Amino acid sequence: MAESDDTTGEMSGGLQVELFHPDSDREPGDTNHELLGGRFDVHPVVFPGALALIVLFVAITLLLGQEQATAVFDGTKSFIESTFGWFYLLAVNVFLITIVYFAVSKYGSIRIGGVKAEPEFSRFSWMAMLFSAGMGIGLMFYSVAEPMVYMGSPPEFFGAQSGTAAAGTAALAQTIYHWGLSPWAIYGLVGLGLAFFSFNRGLPLTFRSIFWPLLGERIYGWPGHVIDLVSVFATLFGLCTSLGLGVSQVNQGISYVGGDMLGIIDVPVGTVPQVLLIAGITLIAVASVAAGLDGGVKRLSTVNLYLMFLLLGFVFVVGPTLYIVGGMVEGFGTYLGNFLALSFFTGTIGAGAGNTLAPTVSGWTVFYWGWWIAWSPFVGMFIARISKGRTVREFVLGVLVLPTLFSTVWLSTFGGGAIANALTGNGAVLAAYNEVGQTVAMFALLEQFPLGAVSGILATLLVISFFVTSSDSGSLVIDHLTSGGKHDVPKAQRIFWASTEGIVAAVLLWGGGLTALQAAAISTGLPFAVILLVMCYTVYLGLRNEYEILESEEFMDHIEEIRSDEDVAVTSSGGDVVTDVSGSDDATSTD
């Protein structure tokens, strides 16, 4: 497997450069400044601008004090949910339609990196990094908690009565909806745009590059600076939301397993121990960051995937297996059967005086969509870095379909097991949720099975590992954005951003807990949603231009020269458009 660290922005040799690259002599990081004896290599505007705004945010939060900061975060969250909830729903639907169109249209045959590009990671490693970077912490936190919420307060769309079998079906379908096709469409769109304009156009691996079709050289001016600054903030606060959720669950897991299940240690649950946990886990993340992509993220991501399958298999086997399988079929079928209506459901009609959205939509869907959008620069850029050599169609199928199916299996196993306990068992999981809250739900479920303490420890370790990989990957992404798209940045700079993420996550927890985390996600997700809507059009323009070049006589002349000078196999789509050129003894093939 090829090393990835030196390939970002490198194209398929002279052919790609000559025909596909824009007419620009700019290079990633060509205006950067080196600081502290070369320990930092930073963009002169984006880095100091982002750092100044982050310091300002932390200072204001601390000066407000915990009580007032909590009130501010709560008010911000409520305002955005009630005022812009409809916009979030509409935007995510546009993203999904757009990414599906790219896959099923003629543009699906375009190869990321050019016709001579080859994948740098095996499919297994690729999928492992997708899962670990995409939703690991969230799946651990909400896979049991969210269905338990809906058992008591069923989603308004389904009109079920609380505590009934109908509520269980609605709970599973609504949860799958929040973790299925829609969020992965956001990630896929962002990842595709970044990968295409970096690997196919030779532009810096930053968000400003996606707007080349509209802005041209102005992406290197203030319009581009603003785009990257918004991207930094969306990445940082989307990441901190996940880190805050993760450390809350780790704190609860250690307390519940060590105290309630084993009775050997009484660990307090609260802001102080969670801040200490953030500090400790961040130190581990710093070590992983220093090891780089192949040394740190890839290895930990693979470990995460193995641990996820181990925990998933354990619950599936020792839990109510037939109930889980039947519930999965029913829940997924209900999700698919209602997908279109559910995607546009606001609940405004019938929400009551003074309400613009149904409670489930405002409290859950809008938060999720804002979180996924804020999280998308991080996940999208990470996906882009590891996806060179894949066709647009393969990319979309890999990013959109497979993670959705995996999320469905995971949610059906854990959420379905909890629903079974609520409807046909002793109701202990729902009771624990009602008494303690969302952070305990996973551990209360595991306690119902044999080796509950062992599986609880495994779950805690898995959340910690996800914390590390998320912080690690997020640091690499923010490094790209604040170094002008440069890939090989100094390790000290990566360590700086990993530490900064931990500090901001700790401040958010102190300043309002879960509400503050949610407010940060949807606040930064809102302006970035506008950027993504424009991005739909710019990615289309880029793909259209690529396809026109692939159809051109000039390109075909180059292919004929390559075919006569080298021992290669040429693959065409529809007999006309070349999609792959690889060294091989095989004859030319046609899709």
Short mmCIF file of all heavy atoms in Angstrom, two decimals, residues 381-410:
data_model
loop_
_atom_site.label_atom_id
_atom_site.label_comp_id
_atom_site.label_asym_id
_atom_site.label_seq_id
_atom_site.Cartn_x
_atom_site.Cartn_y
_atom_site.Cartn_z
N MET A 381 -12.72 16.31 4.32
CA MET A 381 -11.33 16.46 3.94
C MET A 381 -10.55 15.18 4.21
O MET A 381 -9.68 14.77 3.42
CB MET A 381 -10.68 17.63 4.67
CG MET A 381 -9.27 17.93 4.19
SD MET A 381 -8.58 19.45 4.86
CE MET A 381 -9.59 20.67 4.03
N PHE A 382 -10.88 14.53 5.30
CA PHE A 382 -10.21 13.27 5.62
C PHE A 382 -10.56 12.21 4.57
O PHE A 382 -9.68 11.48 4.10
CB PHE A 382 -10.63 12.80 7.01
CG PHE A 382 -9.83 11.64 7.51
CD1 PHE A 382 -8.50 11.80 7.85
CD2 PHE A 382 -10.41 10.40 7.65
CE1 PHE A 382 -7.76 10.73 8.33
CE2 PHE A 382 -9.68 9.32 8.12
CZ PHE A 382 -8.35 9.48 8.46
N ILE A 383 -11.84 12.14 4.18
CA ILE A 383 -12.25 11.20 3.13
C ILE A 383 -11.54 11.53 1.82
O ILE A 383 -11.09 10.64 1.09
CB ILE A 383 -13.78 11.23 2.95
CG1 ILE A 383 -14.48 10.65 4.18
CG2 ILE A 383 -14.19 10.45 1.70
CD1 ILE A 383 -15.99 10.81 4.14
N ALA A 384 -11.44 12.84 1.52
CA ALA A 384 -10.78 13.25 0.27
C ALA A 384 -9.34 12.78 0.24
O ALA A 384 -8.86 12.29 -0.79
CB ALA A 384 -10.85 14.77 0.14
N ARG A 385 -8.64 12.91 1.33
CA ARG A 385 -7.22 12.55 1.38
C ARG A 385 -6.99 11.07 1.12
O ARG A 385 -5.92 10.67 0.65
CB ARG A 385 -6.64 12.91 2.74
CG ARG A 385 -6.44 14.41 2.96
CD ARG A 385 -5.61 14.66 4.19
NE ARG A 385 -4.33 13.98 4.08
CZ ARG A 385 -3.56 13.67 5.12
NH1 ARG A 385 -3.96 13.93 6.33
NH2 ARG A 385 -2.40 13.06 4.93
N ILE A 386 -7.96 10.24 1.47
CA ILE A 386 -7.74 8.79 1.36
C ILE A 386 -8.46 8.17 0.15
O ILE A 386 -8.48 6.96 0.02
CB ILE A 386 -8.21 8.07 2.64
CG1 ILE A 386 -9.71 8.26 2.88
CG2 ILE A 386 -7.41 8.56 3.84
CD1 ILE A 386 -10.25 7.50 4.09
N SER A 387 -9.04 9.02 -0.72
CA SER A 387 -9.90 8.49 -1.79
C SER A 387 -9.36 8.66 -3.19
O SER A 387 -10.08 8.46 -4.17
CB SER A 387 -11.29 9.13 -1.70
OG SER A 387 -11.91 8.81 -0.47
N LYS A 388 -8.12 9.04 -3.33
CA LYS A 388 -7.53 9.18 -4.66
C LYS A 388 -7.55 7.84 -5.38
O LYS A 388 -7.29 6.79 -4.80
CB LYS A 388 -6.09 9.69 -4.55
CG LYS A 388 -5.41 9.91 -5.90
CD LYS A 388 -3.98 10.41 -5.68
CE LYS A 388 -3.27 10.60 -7.01
NZ LYS A 388 -1.88 11.05 -6.83
N GLY A 389 -7.87 7.86 -6.68
CA GLY A 389 -7.87 6.66 -7.49
C GLY A 389 -9.23 5.99 -7.62
O GLY A 389 -9.38 5.06 -8.41
N ARG A 390 -10.22 6.46 -6.89
CA ARG A 390 -11.56 5.87 -6.97
C ARG A 390 -12.41 6.68 -7.95
O ARG A 390 -12.25 7.90 -8.06
CB ARG A 390 -12.23 5.84 -5.60
CG ARG A 390 -11.29 5.36 -4.51
CD ARG A 390 -11.93 4.34 -3.63
NE ARG A 390 -10.92 3.81 -2.70
CZ ARG A 390 -10.55 2.56 -2.64
NH1 ARG A 390 -11.09 1.68 -3.47
NH2 ARG A 390 -9.64 2.15 -1.78
N THR A 391 -13.30 6.03 -8.68
CA THR A 391 -14.20 6.77 -9.55
C THR A 391 -15.24 7.49 -8.70
O THR A 391 -15.46 7.14 -7.53
CB THR A 391 -14.92 5.84 -10.54
OG1 THR A 391 -15.79 4.96 -9.80
CG2 THR A 391 -13.93 5.03 -11.36
N VAL A 392 -15.89 8.49 -9.29
CA VAL A 392 -16.93 9.22 -8.57
C VAL A 392 -18.03 8.26 -8.13
O VAL A 392 -18.54 8.34 -7.01
CB VAL A 392 -17.51 10.33 -9.47
CG1 VAL A 392 -18.76 10.94 -8.83
CG2 VAL A 392 -16.45 11.40 -9.73
N ARG A 393 -18.40 7.32 -8.99
CA ARG A 393 -19.46 6.36 -8.66
C ARG A 393 -19.04 5.46 -7.49
O ARG A 393 -19.80 5.23 -6.55
CB ARG A 393 -19.81 5.54 -9.89
CG ARG A 393 -21.01 4.62 -9.70
CD ARG A 393 -21.47 4.04 -11.04
NE ARG A 393 -21.96 5.08 -11.93
CZ ARG A 393 -21.37 5.43 -13.07
NH1 ARG A 393 -20.27 4.81 -13.47
NH2 ARG A 393 -21.88 6.39 -13.83
N GLU A 394 -17.82 4.95 -7.56
CA GLU A 394 -17.31 4.10 -6.48
C GLU A 394 -17.22 4.89 -5.18
O GLU A 394 -17.55 4.39 -4.10
CB GLU A 394 -15.93 3.56 -6.86
CG GLU A 394 -15.31 2.64 -5.81
CD GLU A 394 -13.90 2.23 -6.18
OE1 GLU A 394 -13.36 2.74 -7.19
OE2 GLU A 394 -13.32 1.39 -5.46
N PHE A 395 -16.77 6.12 -5.28
CA PHE A 395 -16.66 6.99 -4.12
C PHE A 395 -18.02 7.18 -3.45
O PHE A 395 -18.16 7.02 -2.23
CB PHE A 395 -16.08 8.34 -4.56
CG PHE A 395 -16.00 9.37 -3.46
CD1 PHE A 395 -14.85 9.50 -2.69
CD2 PHE A 395 -17.07 10.22 -3.21
CE1 PHE A 395 -14.78 10.45 -1.69
CE2 PHE A 395 -17.01 11.17 -2.20
CZ PHE A 395 -15.85 11.30 -1.44
N VAL A 396 -19.03 7.54 -4.25
CA VAL A 396 -20.35 7.80 -3.69
C VAL A 396 -20.96 6.54 -3.08
O VAL A 396 -21.53 6.57 -1.99
CB VAL A 396 -21.28 8.40 -4.76
CG1 VAL A 396 -22.72 8.51 -4.23
CG2 VAL A 396 -20.78 9.77 -5.20
N LEU A 397 -20.83 5.42 -3.79
CA LEU A 397 -21.36 4.17 -3.26
C LEU A 397 -20.67 3.80 -1.95
O LEU A 397 -21.31 3.36 -0.98
CB LEU A 397 -21.20 3.04 -4.28
CG LEU A 397 -22.12 3.10 -5.50
CD1 LEU A 397 -21.76 1.99 -6.49
CD2 LEU A 397 -23.58 2.99 -5.09
N GLY A 398 -19.35 3.98 -1.92
CA GLY A 398 -18.61 3.65 -0.72
C GLY A 398 -18.95 4.54 0.45
O GLY A 398 -19.11 4.08 1.59
N VAL A 399 -19.09 5.83 0.18
CA VAL A 399 -19.33 6.80 1.25
C VAL A 399 -20.80 6.86 1.66
O VAL A 399 -21.11 7.12 2.82
CB VAL A 399 -18.82 8.20 0.83
CG1 VAL A 399 -19.17 9.26 1.86
CG2 VAL A 399 -17.31 8.17 0.60
N LEU A 400 -21.70 6.61 0.71
CA LEU A 400 -23.13 6.80 0.98
C LEU A 400 -23.82 5.52 1.42
O LEU A 400 -24.53 5.50 2.43
CB LEU A 400 -23.80 7.34 -0.29
CG LEU A 400 -25.23 7.87 -0.16
CD1 LEU A 400 -25.28 9.06 0.77
CD2 LEU A 400 -25.77 8.25 -1.53
N VAL A 401 -23.63 4.43 0.70
CA VAL A 401 -24.42 3.22 0.92
C VAL A 401 -23.88 2.35 2.05
O VAL A 401 -24.61 2.00 2.98
CB VAL A 401 -24.53 2.40 -0.38
CG1 VAL A 401 -25.29 1.11 -0.13
CG2 VAL A 401 -25.20 3.23 -1.48
N LEU A 402 -22.60 2.01 1.98
CA LEU A 402 -22.06 1.07 2.96
C LEU A 402 -22.11 1.59 4.40
O LEU A 402 -22.52 0.86 5.31
CB LEU A 402 -20.63 0.69 2.57
CG LEU A 402 -20.50 -0.11 1.26
CD1 LEU A 402 -19.05 -0.43 0.97
CD2 LEU A 402 -21.33 -1.39 1.33
N PRO A 403 -21.72 2.85 4.67
CA PRO A 403 -21.85 3.34 6.05
C PRO A 403 -23.30 3.38 6.53
O PRO A 403 -23.57 3.16 7.71
CB PRO A 403 -21.24 4.75 5.98
CG PRO A 403 -20.31 4.70 4.82
CD PRO A 403 -20.99 3.81 3.82
N THR A 404 -24.24 3.66 5.62
CA THR A 404 -25.65 3.66 5.99
C THR A 404 -26.09 2.27 6.42
O THR A 404 -26.80 2.11 7.44
CB THR A 404 -26.52 4.15 4.82
OG1 THR A 404 -26.20 5.52 4.53
CG2 THR A 404 -28.00 4.05 5.16
N LEU A 405 -25.69 1.26 5.67
CA LEU A 405 -26.04 -0.10 6.03
C LEU A 405 -25.41 -0.51 7.36
O LEU A 405 -26.05 -1.15 8.20
CB LEU A 405 -25.62 -1.06 4.92
CG LEU A 405 -26.33 -0.90 3.58
CD1 LEU A 405 -25.77 -1.87 2.56
CD2 LEU A 405 -27.84 -1.11 3.75
N PHE A 406 -24.15 -0.14 7.56
CA PHE A 406 -23.49 -0.46 8.82
C PHE A 406 -24.17 0.24 9.98
O PHE A 406 -24.38 -0.36 11.05
CB PHE A 406 -22.02 -0.09 8.77
CG PHE A 406 -21.28 -0.40 10.05
CD1 PHE A 406 -20.81 -1.67 10.29
CD2 PHE A 406 -21.08 0.58 11.00
CE1 PHE A 406 -20.14 -1.97 11.47
CE2 PHE A 406 -20.42 0.31 12.18
CZ PHE A 406 -19.94 -0.98 12.42
N SER A 407 -24.49 1.52 9.81
CA SER A 407 -25.18 2.27 10.87
C SER A 407 -26.52 1.62 11.20
O SER A 407 -26.92 1.55 12.37
CB SER A 407 -25.39 3.72 10.44
OG SER A 407 -24.16 4.39 10.27
N THR A 408 -27.22 1.14 10.17
CA THR A 408 -28.51 0.48 10.39
C THR A 408 -28.35 -0.78 11.23
O THR A 408 -29.12 -1.02 12.18
CB THR A 408 -29.16 0.12 9.05
OG1 THR A 408 -29.41 1.32 8.30
CG2 THR A 408 -30.48 -0.62 9.25
N VAL A 409 -27.34 -1.58 10.91
CA VAL A 409 -27.09 -2.79 11.69
C VAL A 409 -26.72 -2.44 13.12
O VAL A 409 -27.21 -3.05 14.09
CB VAL A 409 -25.97 -3.63 11.03
CG1 VAL A 409 -25.60 -4.82 11.92
CG2 VAL A 409 -26.41 -4.12 9.65
N TRP A 410 -25.87 -1.46 13.29
CA TRP A 410 -25.43 -1.06 14.64
C TRP A 410 -26.61 -0.54 15.46
O TRP A 410 -26.83 -0.95 16.60
CB TRP A 410 -24.35 0.01 14.52
CG TRP A 410 -23.81 0.47 15.85
CD1 TRP A 410 -24.34 1.44 16.66
CD2 TRP A 410 -22.66 -0.03 16.53
NE1 TRP A 410 -23.59 1.58 17.79
CE2 TRP A 410 -22.54 0.70 17.74
CE3 TRP A 410 -21.70 -0.99 16.23
CZ2 TRP A 410 -21.51 0.48 18.65
CZ3 TRP A 410 -20.67 -1.21 17.14
CH2 TRP A 410 -20.58 -0.49 18.33
#
